[in-house]
Amino acid sequence: MIFMILAVANATAQNPYVLFEGSTQTYKVDLHGTNAYAWAVYNIGDYNNVITNDNSVYEVIAGENTNEISIKWKVGGDYALVVDESDGSCQNMKALRVQVISGSPQIAFNTIESDDCYDGVNELIIPVGILKNTTDALPEGNYEVTINYSVQIGAVITNYSKTFTYADVGIDGEVNLSVEGIVEELDKTKEYTIWINSAIDGFNTPFNIVPGKGTHTRTIHQLPQTGTMVQQ
């Protein structure tokens, strides 16, 4: 996702873009010939003291002196991202308000184990909680969310990825993860281990995996073999 910065008289008046600590985002303005671009970050309401790029509050990942910059936000706060464009004779300043939330979003399996008898249906759906914190659902503006997970059966581990939009979200931030790689067998009990490797929101924010809720165990029981029925 790339934000186009608009000219504003006062960044304080804007509705901020809300990100989490650890988010990496790209911002850009139109490129005009050989104009020079200088980027700076300020606390909202304090435009006399620029926050230096010292890797404590934020880090420039790429594009520091170009019309397009990538920034990793590291500390919660209410900031103004400002770009000064110059053609050598005149200057034009633009700003965008960015609000960074302390902490990280949370992700967890809502159940950590399940089992079923063989029914020939190779399907497993696990509810997953995608949360802003321990109780509140992730805001709509932070989607899409991508979950990277693994499925293990025996010694074989396979990695998968699934992306969810806000339309997929149910009550209390719950989405249904349809797990790939599940194969039932009539005459064999099988145990699968499914775990979340990582997840990111639409602003590239890494999720915290809730301790004890990042792994789900699925057992599929074989059917009893009754043999052939005969009359005695």
Side-chain angles (χ1 to χ4, degrees):
M1 186 182 296
I2 296 178
F3 293 116
M4 181 70 74
I5 294 183
L6 304 177
V8 292
N10 187 348
T12 306
Q14 296 184 70
N15 290 324
Y17 288 100
V18 180
L19 311 174
F20 289 88
E21 289 177 340
S23 299
T24 299
Q25 201 54 55
T26 299
Y27 307 86
K28 69 180 295 184
V29 292
D30 291 334
L31 177 62
H32 299 121
T34 58
N35 286 2
Y37 299 87
W39 298 83
V41 175
Y42 299 84
N43 284 309
I44 283 290
D46 184 8
Y47 299 111
N48 293 318
N49 298 297
V50 65
I51 301 173
T52 59
N53 175 26
D54 60 5
N55 294 345
S56 60
V57 174
Y58 71 98
E59 179 182 355
V60 175
I61 304 300
E64 186 168 11
N65 297 309
T66 70
N67 70 306
E68 183 173 321
I69 191 170
S70 293
I71 293 178
K72 181 176 183 178
W73 299 96
K74 295 188 171 183
V75 175
D78 202 355
Y79 304 108
L81 174 63
V82 177
V83 60
D84 191 333
E85 181 178 352
S86 172
D87 64 2
S89 299
C90 298
Q91 294 176 300
N92 186 19
M93 185 175 289
K94 302 176 178 70
L96 184 74
R97 184 178 176 185
V98 179
Q99 190 175 81
V100 181
I101 301 174
S102 297
S104 299
Q106 312 287 309
I107 188 167
F109 286 126
N110 290 350
T111 59
I112 60 172
E113 61 181 3
S114 62
D115 70 327
D116 197 7
C117 293
Y118 169 85
D119 60 9
V121 179
N122 297 321
E123 181 179 64
L124 172 58
I125 296 176
I126 308 175
V128 177
I130 298 178
L131 303 173
K132 175 182 176 182
N133 46 45
T134 56
T135 58
D136 301 317
L138 189 73
E140 180 178 358
N142 289 80
Y143 281 82
E144 300 175 338
V145 169
T146 299
I147 301 174
N148 301 303
Y149 68 97
S150 294
V151 177
Q152 180 173 3
I153 174 68
V156 179
I157 300 174
T158 309
N159 300 319
Y160 300 98
S161 182
K162 173 68 175 179
T163 298
F164 295 92
T165 68
Y166 188 70
D168 299 315
V169 184
I171 188 170
D172 298 330
E174 183 177 282
V175 298
N176 288 321
L177 176 64
S178 181
V179 178
E180 298 185 63
I182 302 298
V183 180
E184 298 191 2
E185 293 187 42
L186 174 66
D187 57 354
K188 182 179 181 180
T189 294
K190 303 177 74 172
E191 184 174 283
Y192 289 88
T193 302
I194 303 99
W195 66 88
I196 300 171
N197 293 313
S198 63
I200 57 171
D201 70 2
F203 301 121
N204 299 311
T205 309
F207 281 71
N208 280 337
I209 302 171
V210 176
K213 292 190 175 182
T215 301
H216 182 97
T217 301
R218 174 70 167 181
T219 303
I220 304 170
H221 302 283
Q222 70 183 68
L223 292 184
Q225 300 301 301
T226 59
T228 301
M229 180 182 294
V230 298
Q231 179 176 309
Q232 297 296 319

